Amino acid sequence: MMIHQKKHKRFITTKIIAYGFILTILVGSLLLMLPICQSGEMEVSYIDALFTATTSVCVTGLVTLPTYLAWSGFGQFIILILVEIGGLGIITFTMLFLLIMGKKIGLRERMLIADAYNIDTSRGLVILVKRIVLGTLAVQGVGALLYMIVFVPEFGVKGIWHSIFLSASAFCNAGMDTMFANSLEPYVFHPLINFTSMALIILGGIGYPVWWYFLERLRLWKNNNFRFIKAKSRMPLSVKIAVSVSLFLIFGGMLIILGLEYNNPDTLGNMNFWQKLQAALFQSVTLRTAGFFTIPQENFRISTSIVHCIWMFIGGSPSGTAGGIKTTTITVLMLTIISILRGRDETESFHRSISGTIVRKAMSVFAVSFTVLLVSTIALAAVQPDANFMDCLYETISAISTIGLTRAFTGELNLLGKIIIIVTMYIGRIGPISLSLFFNTGRNENLIRYPQENVSVG
């Protein structure tokens, strides 16, 4: 009975998320079609407005029209709101709206929050939502202030808006800005812009559970007069995996990019060593689903672009603003493979065993995501016959993992190509497994068990 209730609760939450994103995208696209939202500098079709609304809500960053040129200040404000909704999530944003309106958060709403963040208890969930919102605003505020140091002297009063927009976009891993058509390329050698952006990207993509663990450790440290104390509670396995794998991907990616592009005159070749290190680090961080770039993606060698595709497909960590199949998913898969090769019956990590249910879910996430990626790439290549394979693959991985990086290909999409990317971004944001649950309305418990039989594999 408990299993049935849990599945039903998951289905209800999935429906709300799926419908919520569709509704927000449609409302956003209609708002962007209003004359007040358009700058008048470019002709805006509905498909471009729909594409922009989708990439904003799905915090992807792929754009068919330059944000700074196509949209007015009010239009950019609408885009910012859509980005915040997409970054915080439909459930969290809805609960925030209810709190602002003074509405009571009942048991049903608490269950939705718990399900959205994979929490087993309904206690303290309203406080959790408040902490998420306040923490998000605090980090974005600090980021905006740091950006203003550069942008206000450069752009005047407009620099304030550029700073606020860029800070929110970086934290939500949206990859959009209101300044240039070439992202942050003009600041490829600017340490403050680079490291502020990287910090926001990492903090947004690492996941809120990591936040809460380290903030709790900081609180205990402060209460003990800043003396080191031994942790009374073990670090959750998901936090260990998220932190360790994120660090490995960030610095490992930096070293790989540095090695492959060291002498490439179109990327790192003409930089000094410090500049190469900074540019390679930024590229590695932005592959965690951020979408900003300081070096044009089409200038990288094919070998490096393949590495980019792998890193983008993995993405960030759960319960954050990043996309991809997540660090925990790829870790569970790799550990399962290692366990099989070593002849072990259980998947183990940090002296803990991982349940078979989690292993099967990780396999499902990978398989469904890869299938969607494969189908999207084939479809995009079919409707864009003049495009090369790497451009199509890069674009669809960027869409399914909500990255926002492109090999200068998004602007070349035809009508069918735009529709394919819109659908792929939507699937990537709500999650392929959530989409499967949305269409699977049956209650398929294992009421019947069949006899087992071996099948030869491998």
Side-chain angles (χ1 to χ4, degrees):
M1 190 66 171
M2 288 295 293
I3 294 175
H4 177 82
Q5 290 177 349
K6 192 170 184 179
K7 285 185 177 181
H8 182 67
K9 185 179 71 171
R10 166 63 70 179
F11 176 66
I12 294 297
T13 306
T14 302
K15 283 180 63 178
I16 292 174
I17 292 174
Y19 283 134
F21 271 105
I22 290 176
L23 180 62
T24 306
I25 288 169
L26 291 177
V27 171
S29 66
L30 294 175
L31 288 174
L32 291 176
M33 285 302 295
L34 297 175
I36 193 175
C37 290
Q38 300 174 17
S39 65
E41 298 289 332
M42 303 182 71
E43 182 178 351
V44 178
S45 64
Y46 179 72
I47 191 65
D48 289 318
L50 180 63
F51 195 103
T52 301
T54 305
T55 198
S56 302
V57 175
C58 297
V59 289
T60 305
L62 297 172
V63 292
T64 54
L65 300 175
T67 306
Y68 79 101
L69 190 60
W71 310 107
S72 65
F74 185 72
Q76 292 173 9
F77 176 74
I78 295 297
I79 291 173
L80 178 62
I81 297 299
L82 295 177
V83 166
E84 293 284 19
I85 293 174
L88 286 172
I90 295 295
I91 300 294
T92 303
F93 205 86
T94 302
M95 297 307 143
L96 172 63
F97 179 77
L98 292 176
L99 289 172
I100 292 174
M101 296 297 294
K103 302 293 184 180
K104 183 179 179 181
I105 305 298
L107 180 60
R108 183 173 180 271
E109 289 78 15
R110 292 173 188 270
M111 291 173 67
L112 289 174
I113 300 170
D115 196 30
Y117 286 96
N118 293 315
I119 299 173
D120 295 328
T121 178
S122 60
R123 297 176 59 187
L125 293 179
V126 175
I127 296 176
L128 173 66
V129 170
K130 291 180 179 179
R131 285 180 176 178
I132 289 174
V133 174
L134 292 176
T136 297
L137 292 177
V139 173
Q140 290 183 13
V142 172
L145 290 174
L146 291 174
Y147 282 136
M148 286 179 197
I149 296 174
V150 178
F151 294 152
V152 170
E154 184 173 348
F155 297 101
V157 177
K158 283 187 177 180
I160 298 175
W161 171 244
H162 293 326
S163 301
I164 294 172
F165 190 99
L166 184 59
S167 181
S169 182
F171 179 84
C172 293
N173 285 207
M176 304 169 74
D177 69 89
T178 55
M179 298 174 292
F180 309 107
N182 55 345
S183 191
L184 299 181
E185 189 179 345
Y187 303 102
V188 60
F189 302 136
H190 201 297
L192 181 59
I193 298 298
N194 276 258
F195 284 97
T196 299
S197 300
M198 286 188 282
L200 289 168
I201 292 166
I202 293 170
L203 287 172
I206 197 67
Y208 294 113
V210 178
W211 282 35
W212 308 143
Y213 177 80
F214 283 102
L215 287 174
E216 179 63 18
R217 300 310 307 157
L218 183 62
R219 185 186 66 81
L220 291 175
W221 183 50
K222 179 182 177 182
N223 291 343
N224 284 269
N225 297 320
F226 301 101
R227 291 179 298 179
F228 176 79
I229 55 172
K230 188 176 180 180
K232 295 181 180 179
S233 59
R234 183 183 296 272
M235 180 185 291
L237 181 58
S238 58
V239 174
K240 285 185 179 180
I241 292 175
V243 173
S244 57
V245 176
S246 294
L247 290 174
F248 171 79
L249 290 173
I250 289 171
F251 293 104
M254 178 193 72
L255 294 176
I256 293 173
I257 294 167
L258 190 64
L260 293 175
E261 297 291 323
Y262 197 87
N263 295 318
N264 184 358
D266 294 326
T267 55
L268 307 182
N270 297 322
M271 304 178 186
N272 60 42
F273 183 75
W274 163 248
Q275 291 171 342
K276 290 179 180 180
L277 204 64
Q278 182 178 223
L281 179 61
F282 188 93
Q283 180 66 22
S284 182
V285 170
T286 200
L287 292 172
R288 313 308 313 290
T289 80
F292 297 105
F293 64 86
T294 55
I295 298 173
Q297 301 302 289
E298 64 273 18
N299 290 355
F300 285 100
R301 291 167 173 154
I302 295 299
S303 56
T304 313
S305 295
I306 293 173
V307 174
H308 290 173
C309 290
I310 297 171
W311 257 239
M312 288 192 294
F313 190 64
I314 295 172
S317 299
S319 300
T321 60
I325 63 171
K326 303 297 189 293
T327 53
T328 48
T329 301
I330 195 65
T331 301
V332 169
L333 287 175
M334 296 303 296
L335 291 173
T336 301
I337 293 172
I338 292 172
S339 296
I340 293 172
L341 294 176
R342 296 177 66 182
R344 294 179 178 246
D345 294 330
E346 293 184 328
T347 300
E348 301 170 349
S349 177
F350 294 105
H351 305 291
R352 288 289 184 273
S353 62
I354 300 173
S355 72
T357 302
I358 300 299
V359 172
R360 288 193 296 273
K361 183 177 179 181
M363 291 180 176
S364 299
V365 169
F366 178 86
V368 176
S369 298
F370 186 80
T371 301
V372 173
L373 171 63
L374 187 63
V375 172
S376 299
T377 304
I378 293 172
L380 187 61
V383 302
Q384 301 273 168
D386 296 330
N388 64 57
F389 173 75
M390 181 53 71
D391 288 344
C392 292
L393 178 63
Y394 216 85
E395 199 78 8
T396 51
I397 285 185
S398 188
I400 190 69
S401 299
T402 66
I403 305 291
L405 293 173
T406 178
R407 289 169 56 88
F409 185 56
T410 310
E412 299 178 11
L413 294 174
N414 56 29
L415 176 61
L416 290 177
K418 290 175 183 177
I419 293 173
I420 290 169
I421 295 301
I422 286 172
V423 173
T424 307
M425 287 191 292
Y426 173 75
I427 294 174
R429 186 65 184 100
I430 69 170
I433 298 300
S434 295
L435 189 67
S436 301
L437 288 172
F438 175 69
F439 287 111
N440 180 19
T441 58
R443 305 290 179 259
N444 300 317
E445 290 95 352
N446 293 329
L447 299 178
I448 301 175
R449 293 187 178 276
Y450 297 100
Q452 291 185 348
E453 185 171 344
N454 292 330
V455 176
S456 297
V457 295

